[in-house]
Amino acid sequence: LLLGTITFLPESFSLATWDIGDEAIEFTSEWYTSHSLEGAESPIYRSIASIMNYQPSMPLPPDAMDPPTNCPHLASGLKEWDDSTLVWTRSDGTTFTGSPIPDGNDIILPPDTSIILRPGILSGTHDSPYGKITIPVGSKLIFDDDGLGITTLHTLAIVLDGGELLAGSPTCRRSHALLDIILHGEYNANSSETSDRHLKEVAGADFEVKGIVVKDSPTSLWDFHGPLYHPTWTRLAAHIPGSVQQETSAPSTRNRVLYLQDCVNWPLDGEILVTTSRVKDTRDYDYNERGMIDSVRCVTIDSRNYGEVTVKEPLMYYHHAGAHEYQSEVALLTRSIVIRGNDKSDPTDITPLTCTSSISGWTTVPCSDIYTTGLGGHTVVLGEGVGRIRGIEFRKMGMTNVLGRYPIHYHHCVTGEEGIVSDNSIRDSYWRAVTAHDVFKLLIERNVAFDIIGHAYYLESGVEEENFLMYNFASFVHAIGGPAVMQNQFAQAWEAYEDLKVPADRTASGFYISNVYNTVIGNAASGGWAGMQLPVFPQPIDPTLRFNGVVPKDRPTLLISGNSVHSSGFFSQNSGAVYAGGSLYWEENDEASTTLKYNAGRVGSIRLTRSSKNDDGSDAWLQITNTTVWLCNVGSTGWGRRSEISGFEVHDFQRRSIFVLFTVWLNEIVMNCRTSNAPRVPDVGTGSVEKALNAGTKWSGFFTYDHLMKHILTNWKISNCGGEARGLYPWAENGDDIEDSTGLITVPVNGFAPEVQLISSGWEYDWDTLGGTNFVYNSSLFFSGSGSDEFHSMQHMSNWVDADGSLTGRTDTGDNIVLGPAAGGEWWHLDSRPNMCETRSDWKFPQILCNRGNRQLASYMTFVDNAGSSSMSGAAQLLHPNESSNNLRKVRQGSMTHFGLEGDGSIDACEPPTPCQETTSRSWDADITGPYDHSFHGGWYLQWDAGTPAHMRIERIQMIEGTTLINAMSLPPSLTAADVSVWAESYTRRHGFLLVENLWEVRNTIDTYYFDDTTSTLYWSIITGYVDTDSTLSWIDREVNGIQTFSRGGLSVVDTTGQSQYRLHIDLDCETDAVTGAFCEEKPSFNVPGMDCPQDMVRVAIDLCGLECELDDSCQENTSHPTETPLTAGPTDSPITNTPTEAPTDAPQTNAPSDAQTDQPSPTSNDPDVRISLLKISNRLLNGGQKWRTAISMTLRDTLWNKISGVSVSVSWMDINDSSNNGVVTKTTRANGKVGLNLPKFNTNEVDGVVVSIDSISVDGYVYNEELNIEYGGVECPIFSNGCQSVIINKPEA
């Protein structure tokens, strides 16, 4: 990637080592005496420029110190332009001798001739240009470099038809000799014409009009190499106070004398640009400033080198430079070689600049019908032609809305690897800056683009790959047709028309990267609709390439790193300054590619959504690293399926720091909400967006989304986000009141029901800038909710796992922290024992914080009938025909209650905004999300206000394999077990569940259900299952089925099963209601199941029983550890216990009470290392009775009775009739100490039974065998039954 050749300038670098100039001048004393603020301010050097210093310095070109060689102007055999012996050819085929006359007639250089152009030899003028100059094969036109005078060429065009156009060479940069090439539209145009715009159709049809054209020939070569200026742009080392708008008390001399972070060798009388330090950047709000260089020095202050550039006139406005914040860029606009359009290039439709906005939030916007008539010059390199363009100033170039006519354009170029676009300045451009179209491995580096119409650096069709865009700068970029003004994430689709040939130009951005398989390093963007846009192309946007099979939107990322953006994204509430979105496309049925469309916002269709893939088809992630953004609405936004944002620093955002959807890793995010510049940025206007930076009442540091997300947030650093920094009441006197949606973290509470989608670790806070630790514990600014509080599901089911407690400050627990809405009541109150949970009631959206322990979070969707949408039951529309789908999310469907609570069966219990208590209401959103570990106790009790569903399906399940999630619901009293059918489905393949005799069996199997006829309660388990082709049911293989867990930074979020991958159906044979036909007519009672705690124990958590004294921490110290009932088992489908009247329990037991259970062994320090606490053997006929299979499951625990994960179990089997038919099955636990093994399928007519025994159990490679005491059932050997015998399992009967 060329990275191996990149070297960074040391801070002690002196320009004298590679270019003319003095050594750095010691300037420390003068700085503090005459230039620093109050005599104490230090200049900003690169390593303190920002908090994380993600922005790399521009490397010195590797050939910077090489002596010049192979200079074309010094070659032998050169002919003079006015050599009387030369024979020239006109376009009509006639010839002439002597110097060509600038009469507008086209001319062709003499064949096989190298001609040198010296200063003063050309006689063309603005009114009398030369015609088109064609350079044929074998000929060269060379510009002299004697350092004296200026060479000015007026011409209609220069065409390299196999010939060469030379000014310097790759090994011979020119001196500072001036060269000016002016491109004209026509000769001696009618004096009434004020613009060349009347040539638009001609220019569109003829590439050679007003251009430099390198034709498709292997001998066509354009070699221009201007002098090296380094760096071409840098940043301020000290702020500019401003002469008109004085913002600081810094000495006024700093309005003329600028201090830069790098020493520079910029030319005297050159023009520089200092970029804006405001949040908006448009023609009618232009705070970029230009200045002419009066002097340049390299000075040393406190042993560090800085550039000192003095301009001739003082700058008017404040330009920011703050240590550990950001600094305005300073760029050199001038070059000694200039290529420009003539004085008839300018657009004529330049007013009015400002129009009244029709969209709330903005009072004014740039007008839509201006700056569409510019017809500047253009350059293009075609096919096999080669262009090496360095150190050129392009001015008045580009033809607005004339396709393919740009200042620098590589078009279907196969020689990209030989080409280079470096060190150039593109300014006052009428369409784009640098365009690569169907080009590969082109180097585009160190360029400066300023005042650009349309996207500046532009990868045009989406097929461009392996190009290098490095250390380029874009600023003051203007939309065509007016900017896309967006209040939310969605936008209308715009079609191309005459004055908007590419509708994506409504979101004109500094960098338009249509294919991310490119190297994009160290670039900077100031202004633009976005600074860097990564649009979505479902196909190449070129009719000739459209059906070549490339899907640009799905290409993997090569390298995007070290880029910065500011003063961007002003016209969209949700689209970031770095924006991975905006879809440019033809409709699929528009096979003729006649109407190009563009949607700037989020688009729901898969075709218009980024889904990155590797070359082998496996999932890839859009990867953006080490980015810095400031002065924006949103720092970064993306709508793609998979993203990794690592290293992202954002300052002074108006609305959100980062907003990226779906599967995302957000790592090393630095959020500095307010800088010292923020108070100096005035309101743009009176609209809510125009004054948002100072209002501070509608911002969200991190805004999560409602559902379908998987977000991992690691290693965030937070500063200057407190109420004082934001100027809010009561922290700031007379400050604005914050709104409910304002806060460091904002959760939407009016969207769809959430799944399990947020986990974080490694958060750090700069307490001094946040008002102290109270910011996290009881500041209303920390956690908020956005939207109406009438919606049940987000109010009650949003969730967040704080994996190390760093997010919430609960780092002393040594446990994961689960956050759930306090409004959800007991649903998120995981543990009732002291110090296990707390409520942060001062947060705007109060949350319950609980230690997670062994619990997991799960989510699934329920649908009451088979006619529902993908997000809501069809019965909902029948029950509430006058409610929209959105309003149905406000309508209560029923409730959910943890086992062991009394609950509330009333149909109006805790409808938002009323807080819930023991029972939590839910709306007609399909999702149910909550905490669980139902291996031994607990479960979710579900209730429907309309009655018991007669037909219910459960799908899109999100949980960890091997864990236990129990559900229950009440059935009408008249129903019996015979009226119940529970079955699973995968792609129409079915597997029936078995009715068992107790709940304990349901907890320890995956395909059983239990009906308690004494309470009319149905119990079943939820799994992420899969029905195989032989109709057997097992946990789903995530890798095979493409639903792998998303893991980054040591954290994980599991994916949901697909809609067709697994569905659980519950059908009841009952009379249904007349309205929907979906609910049993007979109503059930509301009866929450109990916890089934052992004698003398009570519910202490959602999944635990314990002593009552644990609830107030008053237990005696000699209480022993919780135990499980040891089990024994033979060849049976049911678990067997030696205490059948009691269900096993996690509850702690005490030696003190006389009536405590004492018939169970308590673990001691002498107990063996591994014990089997539960064993289950299932025997099943398959394939219509032709085959049979045995499944074995067990729960493993250590001496402290903790469940063990990561344990391998090996089981051997042998045919009872044929000892040669044998085998071994090995399996490793996944979670909660459970391991399940399936023996092979046996033919019923061949195998009557098998002998089975445990061979070994190993932990971390250490094998526990018979001699090492594997305990089961109180007997110290690896067996299935008492007496250390193997077990015989006979084939099942029909």
Side-chain angles (χ1 to χ4, degrees):
L1 300 178
L2 294 184
L3 297 180
T5 65
I6 291 177
T7 56
F8 292 86
L9 289 177
E11 292 181 352
S12 60
F13 174 76
S14 170
L15 291 173
T17 62
W18 67 278
D19 205 334
I20 57 172
D22 298 326
E23 292 285 351
I25 299 168
E26 171 58 42
F27 196 68
T28 302
S29 176
E30 290 88 341
W31 166 260
Y32 286 110
T33 301
S34 305
H35 295 273
S36 72
L37 177 62
E38 298 177 352
E41 176 193 18
S42 297
I44 297 166
Y45 48 94
R46 190 168 299 278
S47 60
I48 66 167
S50 60
I51 295 174
M52 297 302 294
N53 198 29
Y54 287 141
Q55 304 159 71
S57 60
M58 185 184 299
L60 187 67
D63 63 346
M65 291 177 278
D66 295 345
T69 59
N70 298 320
C71 299
H73 68 284
L74 300 179
S76 59
L78 302 181
K79 298 292 186 179
E80 300 293 330
W81 174 267
D82 59 352
D83 188 324
S84 60
T85 65
L86 295 179
V87 179
W88 300 75
T89 302
R90 299 185 181 91
S91 57
D92 61 3
T94 61
T95 61
F96 66 93
T97 59
S99 180
I101 300 172
D103 58 1
N105 287 314
D106 298 343
I107 56 176
I108 303 173
L109 265 66
D112 300 314
T113 304
S114 297
I115 298 175
I116 187 167
L117 277 172
R118 304 187 189 277
I121 195 67
L122 298 173
S123 57
T125 66
H126 284 284
D127 295 324
S128 297
Y130 292 95
K132 178 173 66 178
I133 301 171
T134 298
I135 307 172
V137 176
S139 295
K140 302 177 182 179
L141 184 59
I142 302 168
F143 291 92
D144 193 16
D145 185 26
D146 66 358
L148 300 174
I150 178 172
T151 302
T152 302
L153 172 60
H154 291 269
T155 180
L156 300 188
I158 302 174
V159 178
L160 284 65
D161 192 5
E164 300 179 14
L165 180 65
L166 310 176
S169 75
T171 59
C172 179
R173 281 194 179 261
R174 285 168 58 90
S175 68
H176 299 277
L178 302 179
L179 170 60
D180 191 13
I181 299 176
I182 300 99
L183 297 171
H184 292 251
E186 62 181 347
Y187 172 65
N188 214 7
N190 188 313
S191 59
S192 65
E193 297 286 356
T194 60
S195 170
D196 279 340
R197 191 62 186 178
H198 62 283
L199 295 173
K200 176 184 174 182
E201 292 186 7
V202 176
D206 186 354
F207 248 138
E208 298 176 0
V209 171
K210 208 171 182 177
I212 296 177
V213 179
V214 183
K215 297 189 75 171
D216 181 5
S217 167
T219 60
S220 297
L221 172 63
W222 179 18
D223 245 350
F224 269 27
H225 303 271
L228 174 62
Y229 298 117
H230 182 79
T232 53
W233 59 273
T234 181
R235 291 185 170 90
L236 289 172
H239 70 261
I240 299 171
S243 60
V244 172
Q245 180 191 329
Q246 183 77 26
E247 288 291 348
T248 74
S249 58
S252 60
T253 183
R254 292 219 323 234
N255 293 319
R256 284 194 62 225
V257 184
L258 316 184
Y259 292 91
L260 314 180
Q261 293 178 24
D262 298 289
C263 291
V264 297
N265 67 330
W266 296 348
L268 301 184
D269 295 320
E271 188 174 12
I272 65 168
L273 164 72
V274 184
T275 59
T276 182
S277 291
R278 300 197 179 189
V279 73
K280 180 183 176 182
D281 187 40
T282 57
R283 293 187 184 96
D284 65 321
Y285 198 81
D286 179 9
Y287 288 90
N288 303 285
E289 294 196 77
R290 278 72 79 194
M292 303 301 293
I293 298 175
D294 195 41
S295 66
V296 175
R297 295 196 304 177
C298 186
V299 299
T300 298
I301 303 172
D302 292 332
S303 301
R304 292 186 175 90
N305 289 348
Y306 300 92
E308 181 194 76
V309 174
T310 303
V311 294
K312 296 184 177 181
E313 299 294 333
L315 299 184
M316 300 171 62
Y317 304 112
Y318 175 82
H319 297 272
H320 188 64
H324 303 296
E325 295 178 342
Y326 54 82
Q327 305 82 39
S328 289
E329 297 90 355
V330 184
L332 177 66
L333 298 177
T334 297
R335 304 292 187 272
S336 63
I337 300 176
V338 178
I339 299 175
R340 56 191 173 102
N342 65 346
D343 57 2
K344 293 185 178 182
S345 302
D346 299 330
T348 57
D349 53 344
I350 61 174
T351 58
L353 293 179
T354 306
C355 290
T356 301
S357 173
S358 61
I359 299 177
S360 176
W362 297 264
T363 58
T364 63
V365 293
C367 294
S368 61
D369 53 354
I370 59 172
Y371 283 87
T372 63
T373 56
L375 199 83
H378 78 100
T379 72
V380 63
V381 180
L382 301 168
E384 293 186 272
V386 175
R388 299 187 291 231
I389 310 166
R390 298 195 297 174
I392 315 302
E393 179 183 344
F394 295 87
R395 190 189 304 173
K396 294 188 177 183
M397 300 286 283
M399 301 178 181
T400 312
N401 286 316
V402 181
L403 291 173
R405 309 304 189 266
Y406 316 120
I408 303 173
H409 181 198
Y410 284 72
H411 182 77
H412 294 286
C413 206
V414 299
T415 60
E417 196 166 6
E418 301 175 55
I420 183 172
V421 180
S422 178
D423 304 287
N424 303 294
S425 168
I426 306 99
R427 55 188 301 194
D428 310 322
S429 169
Y430 306 133
W431 210 12
R432 319 225 184 283
V434 180
T435 298
H437 182 184
D438 190 20
V439 179
F440 304 84
K441 299 183 179 180
L442 178 64
L443 178 60
I444 304 169
E445 66 168 356
R446 298 166 48 89
N447 300 287
V448 171
F450 170 69
D451 198 2
I452 309 296
I453 294 176
H455 297 289
Y457 298 92
Y458 184 68
L459 302 185
E460 185 165 1
S461 71
V463 301
E464 300 78 23
E465 294 190 348
E466 297 185 87
N467 299 289
F468 302 89
L469 286 85
M470 305 194 299
Y471 307 102
N472 300 288
F473 176 62
S475 60
F476 207 41
V477 178
H478 314 291
I480 300 176
V485 182
M486 293 170 52
Q487 285 182 305
N488 53 48
Q489 57 188 289
F490 301 105
Q492 68 182 78
W494 296 290
E495 294 184 358
Y497 59 94
E498 184 64 22
D499 285 337
L500 186 65
K501 285 295 181 65
V502 180
D505 278 320
R506 292 204 61 183
T507 60
S509 305
F511 295 85
Y512 193 74
I513 312 300
S514 60
N515 184 322
V516 297
Y517 198 72
N518 290 280
T519 298
V520 185
I521 298 175
N523 304 284
S526 171
W529 189 88
M532 181 169 289
Q533 186 174 359
L534 314 176
V536 174
F537 285 16
Q539 298 170 303
I541 303 303
D542 178 336
T544 68
L545 301 172
R546 178 179 175 185
F547 300 105
N548 69 355
V550 176
V551 183
K553 72 181 181 68
D554 292 345
R555 295 294 290 142
T557 310
L558 192 53
L559 181 62
I560 302 176
S561 183
N563 303 289
S564 66
V565 175
H566 72 92
S567 306
S568 185
F570 180 77
F571 290 104
S572 176
Q573 287 272 47
N574 289 295
S575 305
V578 177
Y579 183 45
S583 303
L584 187 63
Y585 59 97
W586 288 288
E587 295 288 4
E588 287 187 280
N589 58 5
D590 181 11
E591 295 185 2
S593 309
T594 57
T595 305
L596 194 59
K597 294 184 176 182
Y598 180 67
N599 189 308
R602 176 185 169 196
V603 182
S605 73
I606 295 176
R607 181 174 182 256
L608 300 181
T609 299
R610 185 185 307 277
S611 183
S612 301
K613 299 287 184 181
N614 293 310
D615 289 338
D616 62 3
S618 60
D619 287 348
W621 271 256
L622 172 65
Q623 297 172 316
I624 302 174
T625 61
N626 300 341
T627 307
T628 308
V629 176
W630 63 91
L631 290 170
C632 57
N633 259 331
V634 181
S636 181
T637 302
W639 314 124
R641 290 296 176 190
R642 293 173 295 277
S643 306
E644 292 180 0
I645 313 295
S646 185
F648 186 85
E649 183 172 327
V650 58
H651 306 260
D652 289 340
F653 56 91
Q654 291 198 151
R655 183 167 170 79
R656 296 168 182 167
S657 69
I658 192 165
F659 183 45
V660 184
L661 299 192
F662 301 111
T663 303
V664 184
W665 184 27
L666 299 174
N667 180 48
E668 295 186 0
I669 308 299
V670 179
M671 188 194 309
N672 186 35
C673 294
R674 305 295 278 175
T675 69
S676 58
N677 182 47
R680 301 187 179 103
V681 180
D683 289 344
V684 174
T686 59
S688 59
V689 177
E690 296 167 333
K691 60 182 182 180
L693 184 68
N694 291 315
T697 58
K698 292 186 177 180
W699 61 276
S700 301
F702 172 69
F703 188 92
T704 182
Y705 205 63
D706 51 2
H707 79 144
L708 303 179
M709 305 297 112
K710 290 186 287 293
H711 283 7
I712 297 176
L713 295 81
T714 54
N715 307 312
W716 285 46
K717 299 180 186 295
I718 312 298
S719 58
N720 287 297
C721 297
E724 183 176 355
R726 300 293 313 206
L728 300 172
Y729 182 81
W731 300 273
E733 188 176 355
N734 300 321
D736 293 325
D737 291 326
I738 65 171
E739 298 187 1
D740 287 343
S741 59
T742 300
L744 181 72
I745 295 169
T746 303
V747 176
V749 295
N750 61 341
F752 291 95
E755 297 80 33
V756 182
Q757 55 190 40
L758 287 162
I759 187 168
S760 65
S761 69
W763 282 51
E764 298 178 21
Y765 300 94
D766 183 357
W767 299 120
D768 290 341
T769 68
L770 296 170
T773 57
N774 281 340
F775 176 74
V776 166
Y777 292 107
N778 54 26
S779 170
S780 57
L781 275 175
F782 184 76
F783 205 101
S784 65
S786 172
S788 170
D789 58 8
E790 299 174 89
F791 293 80
H792 294 247
S793 296
M794 288 299 294
Q795 290 282 337
H796 296 159
M797 283 188 276
S798 65
N799 57 89
W800 188 309
V801 177
D802 180 9
D804 60 357
S806 61
L807 172 76
T808 57
R810 283 178 62 95
T811 56
D812 57 346
T813 66
D815 198 356
N816 289 196
I817 307 301
V818 174
L819 286 74
E826 291 294 310
W827 189 247
W828 293 102
H829 196 177
L830 309 188
D831 200 315
S832 300
R833 293 173 294 183
N835 302 317
M836 301 301 287
C837 294
E838 65 170 301
T839 300
R840 300 277 173 91
S841 56
D842 289 328
W843 292 354
K844 276 287 187 179
F845 187 29
Q847 300 285 299
I848 297 176
L849 283 58
C850 291
N851 293 0
R852 176 172 163 178
N854 289 325
R855 304 171 188 97
Q856 304 293 340
L857 304 184
S859 176
Y860 57 77
M861 290 185 175
T862 63
F863 299 94
V864 183
D865 77 359
N866 292 315
S869 68
S870 61
S871 61
M872 202 166 292
S873 295
Q877 279 83 18
L878 297 174
L879 286 170
H880 308 281
N882 297 322
E883 298 289 355
S884 65
S885 295
N886 187 61
N887 281 340
L888 282 171
R889 299 205 301 273
K890 304 177 185 178
V891 177
R892 177 182 153 114
Q893 175 181 191
S895 66
M896 51 201 184
T897 312
H898 286 295
F899 286 11
L901 298 173
E902 181 177 345
D904 184 349
S906 60
I907 63 173
D908 58 353
C910 72
E911 289 204 35
T914 303
C916 297
Q917 301 299 323
E918 291 190 347
T919 289
T920 303
S921 66
R922 59 190 182 98
S923 72
W924 281 100
D925 266 311
D927 275 287
I928 298 178
T929 303
Y932 74 99
D933 176 13
H934 301 152
S935 302
F936 299 97
H937 298 286
W940 296 354
Y941 176 71
L942 308 182
Q943 175 265 344
W944 283 262
D945 293 347
T948 305
H951 310 283
M952 180 177 69
R953 70 183 192 275
I954 296 172
E955 60 189 48
R956 296 187 180 277
I957 300 167
Q958 180 188 27
M959 63 181 293
I960 293 177
E961 282 69 44
T963 59
T964 304
L965 172 58
I966 298 297
N967 281 193
M969 66 178 176
S970 295
L971 273 54
S974 64
L975 295 190
T976 68
D979 298 316
V980 180
S981 173
V982 182
W983 53 282
E985 176 188 16
S986 297
Y987 302 107
T988 72
R989 298 188 296 269
R990 293 190 173 197
H991 175 92
F993 277 39
L994 295 178
L995 175 66
V996 294
E997 296 181 358
N998 56 64
L999 175 56
W1000 184 243
E1001 291 192 64
V1002 178
R1003 294 190 190 277
N1004 291 279
T1005 55
I1006 62 173
D1007 58 353
T1008 60
Y1009 65 98
Y1010 167 56
F1011 178 66
D1012 185 348
D1013 54 10
T1014 63
T1015 61
S1016 294
T1017 304
L1018 178 67
Y1019 298 85
W1020 69 93
S1021 64
I1022 303 288
I1023 70 167
T1024 49
Y1026 190 77
V1027 180
D1028 212 334
T1029 54
D1030 62 359
S1031 296
T1032 57
L1033 176 66
S1034 61
W1035 292 94
I1036 196 166
D1037 188 317
R1038 288 185 173 272
E1039 185 173 357
V1040 170
N1041 288 278
I1043 55 169
Q1044 298 183 45
T1045 296
F1046 177 51
S1047 299
R1048 293 292 188 276
L1051 307 179
S1052 298
V1053 181
V1054 298
D1055 202 353
T1056 61
T1057 56
Q1059 186 175 15
S1060 299
Q1061 286 176 328
Y1062 184 72
R1063 288 175 171 172
L1064 180 64
H1065 297 264
I1066 299 177
D1067 297 333
L1068 304 180
D1069 186 5
C1070 65
E1071 293 294 327
T1072 57
D1073 69 292
V1075 176
T1076 69
F1079 295 94
C1080 294
E1081 181 69 26
E1082 182 185 6
K1083 304 302 182 193
S1085 61
F1086 181 88
N1087 188 5
V1088 182
M1091 287 288 280
D1092 290 330
C1093 290
Q1095 185 178 354
D1096 298 322
M1097 293 190 181
V1098 297
R1099 181 186 190 273
V1100 297
I1102 63 169
D1103 55 346
L1104 293 175
C1105 295
L1107 300 177
E1108 189 171 4
C1109 60
E1110 293 183 60
L1111 295 174
D1112 59 6
D1113 202 18
S1114 62
C1115 294
Q1116 299 297 318
E1117 291 185 1
N1118 64 346
T1119 303
S1120 68
H1121 198 277
T1123 65
E1124 289 287 352
T1125 304
L1127 305 175
T1128 63
T1132 171
D1133 276 353
S1134 301
I1136 302 175
T1137 82
N1138 57 7
T1139 54
T1141 59
E1142 295 283 38
T1145 173
D1146 270 357
Q1149 297 189 4
T1150 175
N1151 296 328
S1154 60
D1155 57 350
Q1157 292 181 336
T1158 58
D1159 59 337
Q1160 303 176 18
S1162 298
T1164 68
S1165 60
N1166 296 321
D1167 278 350
D1169 299 279
V1170 179
R1171 60 178 60 195
I1172 302 172
S1173 63
L1174 175 68
L1175 182 71
K1176 170 71 169 59
I1177 301 175
S1178 298
N1179 223 6
R1180 184 75 50 82
L1181 286 173
L1182 307 172
N1183 296 77
Q1186 297 180 28
K1187 293 187 177 184
W1188 64 283
R1189 168 182 276 174
T1190 294
I1192 305 168
S1193 62
M1194 61 187 75
T1195 301
L1196 304 176
R1197 293 180 175 267
D1198 64 14
T1199 56
L1200 296 179
W1201 226 248
N1202 297 310
K1203 297 174 186 176
I1204 306 174
S1205 297
V1207 177
S1208 293
V1209 177
S1210 179
V1211 172
S1212 63
W1213 61 270
M1214 181 179 67
D1215 190 333
I1216 60 175
N1217 298 319
D1218 180 5
S1219 61
S1220 65
N1221 182 22
N1222 59 72
V1224 176
V1225 179
T1226 301
K1227 199 67 174 290
T1228 300
T1229 63
R1230 297 188 181 184
N1232 283 345
K1234 288 189 176 182
V1235 61
L1237 306 95
N1238 285 325
L1239 298 189
K1241 300 175 187 175
F1242 303 115
N1243 291 326
T1244 308
N1245 60 357
E1246 295 178 359
V1247 179
D1248 295 325
V1250 292
V1251 180
V1252 179
S1253 61
I1254 297 177
D1255 292 332
S1256 66
I1257 300 177
S1258 63
V1259 181
D1260 295 332
Y1262 188 83
V1263 176
Y1264 293 83
N1265 55 31
E1266 183 173 348
E1267 289 73 24
L1268 294 174
N1269 298 332
I1270 303 170
E1271 179 186 308
Y1272 175 68
V1275 182
E1276 296 179 348
C1277 56
I1279 59 166
F1280 278 82
S1281 63
N1282 292 331
C1284 298
Q1285 300 172 359
S1286 298
V1287 65
I1288 296 177
I1289 301 177
N1290 294 313
K1291 68 180 179 183
E1293 300 297 330

